[in-house]
Amino acid sequence: MSDVPLDSTDGRSGTDFDTTPSVTPDDAFAALADPRRRTVVTALREHSGDTMAIETLVDHVTSQEAPSAATRRHVRTSIADVELPKLDDWGLVEYDSARSTVRYIASPLVEGLLAHVAENDR
């Protein structure tokens, strides 16, 4: 049996536990293993927690890759149909496909991994 209290406090300071879903290490590593998903997460993170239109995100990712009409179509399909649903399942974003919007959900684990990647990409 665990010594963790069953109520919403930690038993030491009386403060509430954070009730937001946390990203598991496996999910964080899987999400950030792909360069396009890292670009997506970084762009959303830099957007300051606001909702971003998918088209704006697609433009940003396309500009980081090889800007062309063909690339943009491929990037849009990849982001809307594959990457954002995965990131949503892993708890890194809130993706509203009906409204074509997405919002980054901050995670200390993901923030640390992104900082480490950025530091080592220099």
Side-chain angles (χ1 to χ4, degrees):
M1 176 107 301
S2 171
D3 291 322
V4 176
L6 297 177
D7 64 9
S8 66
T9 61
D10 66 8
R12 292 178 298 239
S13 64
T15 58
D16 289 340
F17 282 123
D18 184 3
T19 58
T20 57
S22 60
V23 177
T24 67
D26 287 346
D27 290 345
F29 286 122
L32 300 178
D34 180 79
R36 182 170 286 159
R37 283 195 299 267
R38 278 196 308 275
T39 301
V40 166
V41 171
T42 299
L44 292 169
R45 183 174 154 253
E46 292 171 356
H47 196 65
S48 306
D50 292 333
T51 301
M52 180 185 274
I54 300 303
E55 298 307 318
T56 303
L57 180 59
V58 168
D59 289 341
H60 176 80
V61 173
T62 302
S63 74
Q64 301 296 309
E65 294 183 10
S68 74
T71 300
R72 189 180 192 294
R73 282 190 301 276
H74 175 73
V75 167
R76 189 187 194 304
T77 300
S78 170
I79 287 174
D81 296 345
V82 178
E83 308 308 347
L84 290 177
K86 284 182 181 181
L87 292 169
D88 187 73
D89 286 346
W90 289 323
L92 274 76
V93 303
E94 288 177 356
Y95 175 43
D96 185 340
S97 60
R99 293 186 178 179
S100 295
T101 59
V102 63
R103 184 179 70 83
Y104 173 66
I105 301 171
S107 161
L109 177 58
V110 171
E111 297 292 322
L113 290 171
L114 285 172
H116 182 73
V117 169
E119 185 177 299
N120 288 299
D121 276 351
R122 292 182 209 173

